[in-house]
Amino acid sequence: MNSVSDLGSIVSRSLHDTLALSLPLFRPELCLAVTVVLLLLCRMLPVLKMLDSAWVALGGAAFALFYAWSDLRGLPGWLGGDALASRQEIFTGLLVFDSLTAYIRLLLMAFLVLYIPFTKVSGIPDREDGADFYTLVLGATLGMCLMASANHLLMVFMAVEMASVPSYALAGLLKGRRASSEAAIKYAVYGAGASGIMLYGMSLLAGLLGSCHLPTMARQLAGLAGAIPAGNLGGVEMVLVLGGLMLAVGLAFKLSAVPFHFWCPDVFEGAAAEVGGFLSVASKTAAVALLLRIAFGLGMPVAVLPGADSSSALAGQAAALQGALLGDARHFMVATIGLMAALTCTLGNLAAYGQNNMKRLLAYSTIAHAGYLLMGVAAAVALSGSHPASARTAVSAVAFYLATYLFMNLGAFAIVAFLRNALRSEEIASYAGLIRTSPGIVVATGVVLVSLIGLPPLAGFWSKFLIFSALVEAISLSAERPLMLVLLVVGGLNTVFSLYYYLRVLKVMTFDPLPADRPGEALSLVSFPGAIVTALAVPVVMLGIFWSGLYACAQLAGAFAS
Amino acid sequence: MGNESMISLSGMVMAPVLAAGLPLAAINWHSVLFLLFASLASIFAVGVVLADNVVRMALYLVFSLAATAGLFFLAGAEFIGAMQLMIYVGGTLVLLVFGVMLTAQAPFVSIKPSAADRALAGLAGSSLLVVLLAAALSVDSWQRPGLSEVTAPTATPLGMALLGMRVDGPAAGAATGAVANGYLLPFEIVSIHLLVVLVGAAYLARAKRRRTPRPIDAAASAVSVVEGSTRVELPAALPPRSGSASALVSGGSK
């Protein structure tokens, strides 16, 4: 900054980077931010006050969905082309735009477009609360988009906070209800603790590696690993392991993975079912994307570095060499993620047995599904060192799982919400004999729950099948074979365990006698709630039959791991 | 407890120095100040944990955070030190005045955890401390106190970085392939975040007159609107949770 011309070039470079490169790839997030502001402005003008905030939010989400869709279509490799990794760092390296970013963003926006009509029909929030509720939902989703694209520890932390803090308020949405306030305060206290620990871990890692930029950190890590034979590591491993574990605490909290899952059942039980659906689907999707980002960001150095000569084969060779040096880091991550996956899956499924409240049951089911997703991530990281093509397939499996999970789980929470409105209860026992009065809803519940188990004709089967085949691939290629074998056995056993408690709900709905004094009316499929449930259950069936289109998109997302 | 310890500690550091008759110039004031601020921060942090009264806890927290700001100033990070003073010390003071003093009711002023809780928390905290200390002391490069000349940082490079422009050595970064990250995005996106969180806080804090019952409240209580005022008829068998829900409905209509 010695001369004016120097400053001028810095300013023009910064303007170019922000306006020409970064903002065009940031349009879905910009749509959300504008909608948040619009929701506030609408309350200031008396004319606009008549407008229901749900429509404003839906309009903004639809625009964001359109841009997210066009971003995914604009990727090289769309429609059968060679799915090359197209990686572009935006905002001076703070975020990264690649196929995973585009795919997860599309999922989140599609979730919003389904979620807002669902909340509008279910009546929570009502019109008075609507503007606040949708502001919080859109603000949290904005943070989740950043989680999916974070490339810098500062953005990782900010994105996690942006996704979490509005969620704390959402958990307390039912003001004045003791359970809801309790859920909100529990969630906030656990969340504050987890993010404090995560921040400490980040500062340890950043202090040791001298950077917060994930690809730079990976290169520094490879440099440290290369220094091991010389014997001058000086107790660095312990700090690295500690920092990595503390970072994992924050991620495990967002994923509701064991042993940081305690908040999940209480929050889901206390908060409204609508909020549970949001936390269970959107928050989980973003957390898995962030885990993939960090695991691959630290475990696999990128070949193309900004500033370096990207076309030279030398850069690729250097990245391959660094990739080999990072084997220990990957081994550590696979062991941590794999152990967490096995524990999460088993505990989630076993604890679901004793539940009488449907929302609590779905909370444990959410925990169990986080376990299956973690298995896929563990397989992907294990394969990434030696077999990049198989690692891409494993990431595709996780991406496919996330898409089907959106429909299955949002469908399940929608059914709980509508049955609560009709039956005034969320206990499983109160669903007795529902098939006599509302057969359509029971069929939809059956579709959703059987898909959550993972039985063949439905979408859930393919997602579980793809995850398990990724594990089998890792075993056959002997990448972390013992752990992958354990995960495969645990995953298979858990699928069998989960049969019982999902089918128990269906058994209560169909075989148990109708209570004589059932309050409320029948819930027909030919109604607004019925239409929402149908819109969520039909994709579960259709994706079970025509899954190749979605899988092609998921493969595109998997291309980021190369 | 804190003040006496502070005085005795500074006396402990200073007394032998002065007694030996050393000239003041021979004292490494940087180390003395570091010891002073570090021990202040630690002592008041322990005070927060040991105090039973909420107001005292908040006050100790203010002192501990202010001492930490002193450490930042000593390390040459004036900007972070100023931010620490403004945000944490200022914020905690506001919290102390409004949050604690205005709202503290008798049962919440004094917090006395049980002995088992204390033991458990002490065990967890001290084991974490041991692990972190061992980790921090195991890195060689962190052990040598670098008494290098601190280049005086100014607010200008920081401000430029917040605008997305790095002026503090992008050329050096380009040589090693490192990226000079500008911080325009977090600077801007946090404003949206604060807006959203503000809306959430206002929603939770607002006492709202509710005319129409939510479907979930209607589950618990039959509400009839008579001439604009809401009367609540409680059903005979009332589960405990729905009691508070109907209390909200009746309370909101006052």
Side-chain angles (χ1 to χ4, degrees):
Chain A
M1 212 180 80
N2 294 326
S3 65
V4 177
S5 69
D6 210 351
L7 182 63
S9 75
I10 286 173
V11 169
S12 67
R13 189 147 37 96
S14 167
L15 276 179
H16 175 74
D17 176 72
T18 307
L19 295 180
L21 293 178
S22 306
L23 284 183
L25 295 174
F26 202 60
R27 285 174 301 184
E29 286 92 338
L30 286 181
C31 282
L32 293 185
V34 167
T35 314
V36 164
V37 176
L38 273 183
L39 280 172
L40 283 176
L41 287 181
C42 281
R43 285 202 281 193
M44 295 174 67
L45 297 175
V47 184
L48 291 177
K49 244 184 184 170
M50 320 252 276
L51 193 64
D52 194 331
S53 46
W55 302 124
V56 180
L58 187 59
F63 269 106
L65 177 67
F66 170 75
Y67 284 125
W69 174 241
S70 64
D71 278 348
L72 188 73
R73 280 172 60 102
L75 284 172
W78 172 252
L79 287 185
D82 186 20
L84 283 172
S86 61
R87 177 187 165 81
Q88 187 176 0
E89 298 203 337
I90 56 177
F91 291 110
T92 65
L94 291 181
L95 297 183
V96 61
F97 176 84
D98 58 13
S99 52
L100 184 73
T101 308
Y103 181 81
I104 297 291
R105 248 181 1 194
L106 182 67
L107 275 191
L108 288 171
M109 299 310 155
F111 168 80
L112 274 186
V113 167
L114 290 168
Y115 182 70
I116 294 170
F118 153 50
T119 51
K120 172 82 186 133
V121 171
S122 81
I124 286 185
D126 56 13
R127 271 196 76 153
E128 297 158 79
D129 295 343
D132 297 315
F133 178 82
Y134 293 117
T135 304
L136 290 170
V137 164
L138 294 180
T141 313
L142 179 61
M144 289 166 192
C145 290
L146 294 179
M147 279 167 82
S149 53
N151 195 38
H152 191 274
L153 285 186
L154 176 66
M155 284 321 288
V156 170
F157 182 72
M158 271 193 63
V160 167
E161 286 304 293
M162 282 185 75
S164 300
V165 179
S167 306
Y168 306 152
L170 281 177
L173 185 74
L174 304 174
K175 276 197 299 185
R177 285 171 68 85
R178 199 191 159 87
S180 181
S181 306
E182 189 184 320
I185 198 86
K186 265 186 188 163
Y187 195 16
V189 169
Y190 271 114
S195 47
I197 291 176
M198 181 170 73
L199 202 55
Y200 206 116
M202 282 179 182
S203 66
L204 283 181
L205 288 179
L208 208 57
L209 301 176
S211 174
C212 286
H213 181 240
L214 288 178
T216 311
M217 288 174 77
R219 259 178 306 129
Q220 300 280 355
L221 197 59
L224 279 180
I228 285 182
N232 54 356
L233 207 57
V236 167
E237 301 115 310
M238 181 180 170
V239 179
L240 283 177
V241 166
L242 199 62
L245 285 179
M246 288 171 109
L247 182 58
V249 168
L251 294 177
F253 169 78
K254 286 306 286 175
L255 276 166
S256 66
V258 175
F260 304 100
H261 66 286
F262 297 106
W263 61 274
C264 188
D266 291 348
V267 169
F268 278 33
E269 190 186 4
E274 288 83 352
V275 176
F278 181 73
L279 296 180
S280 168
V281 179
S283 190
K284 190 66 56 70
T285 305
V288 169
L290 181 61
L291 181 66
L292 282 171
R293 274 270 170 254
I294 290 181
F296 277 85
L298 290 180
M300 285 301 289
V302 283
V304 186
L305 284 169
D309 187 3
S310 55
S311 60
S312 73
L314 211 63
Q317 277 178 5
L321 186 67
Q322 286 165 353
L325 286 173
L326 285 174
D328 284 340
R330 279 195 300 274
H331 177 70
F332 170 70
M333 285 193 279
V334 172
T336 313
I337 298 173
L339 188 67
M340 226 186 253
L343 284 177
T344 305
C345 203
T346 312
L347 196 133
N349 275 321
L350 292 185
Y353 271 51
Q355 305 308 323
N356 295 320
N357 182 300
M358 189 64 188
K359 281 195 296 190
R360 249 185 124 75
L361 182 110
L362 284 178
Y364 282 110
S365 144
T366 297
I367 295 174
H369 281 273
Y372 296 121
L373 284 163
L374 283 175
M375 285 180 190
V377 176
V381 178
L383 284 164
S384 66
S386 48
H387 305 86
S390 307
R392 259 173 262 157
T393 315
V395 175
S396 316
V398 174
F400 185 85
Y401 201 118
L402 287 174
T404 55
Y405 183 73
L406 189 163
F407 291 106
M408 300 189 288
N409 230 20
L410 191 59
F413 276 99
I415 289 166
V416 173
F418 292 134
L419 284 181
R420 172 205 64 209
N421 288 353
L423 303 176
R424 314 279 192 243
S425 169
E426 285 159 345
E427 299 299 313
I428 294 170
S430 68
Y431 295 164
L434 210 60
I435 197 161
R436 317 276 195 290
T437 55
S438 329
I441 291 292
V442 175
V443 171
T445 316
V447 166
V448 166
L449 291 186
V450 170
S451 179
L452 280 172
I453 300 170
L455 290 184
L458 300 169
F461 168 70
W462 292 109
S463 37
K464 276 222 174 81
F465 176 78
L466 288 171
I467 294 274
F468 290 160
S469 69
L471 289 173
V472 170
E473 179 97 352
I475 293 168
S476 66
L477 293 173
S478 68
E480 308 275 349
R481 183 178 281 176
L483 182 63
M484 293 299 137
L485 205 58
V486 168
L487 284 184
L488 187 64
V489 171
V490 168
L493 280 179
N494 270 297
T495 307
V496 179
F497 291 160
S498 67
L499 261 174
Y500 170 76
Y501 65 86
Y502 286 125
L503 289 184
R504 185 166 62 102
V505 178
L506 290 181
K507 177 230 159 208
V508 170
M509 283 184 163
T510 48
F511 292 120
D512 283 11
L514 191 67
D517 56 341
R518 147 94 22 105
E521 67 281 9
L523 197 56
S524 162
L525 272 189
V526 191
S527 62
F528 278 120
I532 299 281
V533 171
T534 313
L536 290 168
V538 165
V540 176
V541 180
M542 297 309 279
L543 287 176
I545 303 165
F546 308 106
W547 53 281
S548 56
L550 178 64
Y551 187 61
C553 287
Q555 271 180 321
L556 198 62
F560 107 100
S562 57
Chain B
M1 160 204 163
N3 275 326
E4 293 89 321
S5 320
M6 180 194 85
I7 292 162
S8 67
L9 188 107
S10 58
M12 223 160 57
V13 174
M14 304 291 284
V17 178
L18 295 177
L22 281 175
L24 283 178
I27 301 172
N28 186 348
W29 286 106
H30 195 276
S31 296
V32 172
L33 284 176
F34 175 81
L35 282 177
L36 175 70
F37 284 133
S39 46
L40 272 182
S42 313
I43 287 165
F44 282 114
V46 172
V48 174
V49 175
L50 295 183
D52 286 336
N53 187 301
V54 174
V55 180
R56 274 169 203 260
M57 282 184 199
L59 194 66
Y60 291 155
L61 192 62
V62 169
F63 289 145
S64 178
L65 292 171
T68 314
L71 288 178
F72 285 134
F73 281 116
L74 273 184
E78 285 103 354
F79 183 75
I80 300 182
M83 286 300 115
Q84 170 87 7
L85 274 182
M86 275 172 62
I87 297 171
Y88 284 96
V89 179
T92 317
L93 262 181
V94 172
L95 187 77
L96 178 71
V97 172
F98 290 104
V100 178
M101 286 188 165
L102 291 185
T103 62
Q105 301 295 312
F108 303 114
V109 167
S110 176
I111 297 175
K112 285 200 170 62
S114 67
D117 281 349
R118 272 184 201 272
L120 199 63
L123 193 69
S126 50
S127 53
L128 189 66
L129 181 69
V130 167
V131 171
L132 286 176
L133 274 183
L137 294 178
S138 67
V139 179
D140 287 340
S141 57
W142 291 356
Q143 295 220 12
R144 290 185 292 277
L147 277 177
S148 61
E149 199 66 32
V150 178
T151 51
T154 64
T156 311
L158 284 167
M160 292 296 273
L162 285 180
L163 290 175
M165 295 172 248
R166 288 295 286 268
V167 291
D168 46 341
T176 58
V179 186
N181 302 115
Y183 301 107
L184 180 65
L185 176 68
F187 187 57
E188 293 295 332
I189 208 83
V190 84
S191 58
I192 294 283
H193 175 55
L194 290 179
L195 181 69
V196 169
V197 170
L198 212 59
V199 168
Y203 172 77
L204 288 181
R206 190 166 63 224
K208 189 172 55 175
R209 179 182 297 261
R210 183 172 283 286
R211 291 254 173 255
T212 50
R214 287 182 293 231
I216 196 164
D217 290 331
S221 57
V223 181
S224 60
V225 179
V226 183
E227 291 166 13
S229 73
T230 312
R231 202 179 74 237
V232 181
E233 293 157 6
L234 296 178
L238 195 65
R241 191 190 309 160
S242 48
S244 55
S246 49
L248 168 78
V249 175
S250 59
S253 64
K254 273 175 202 161

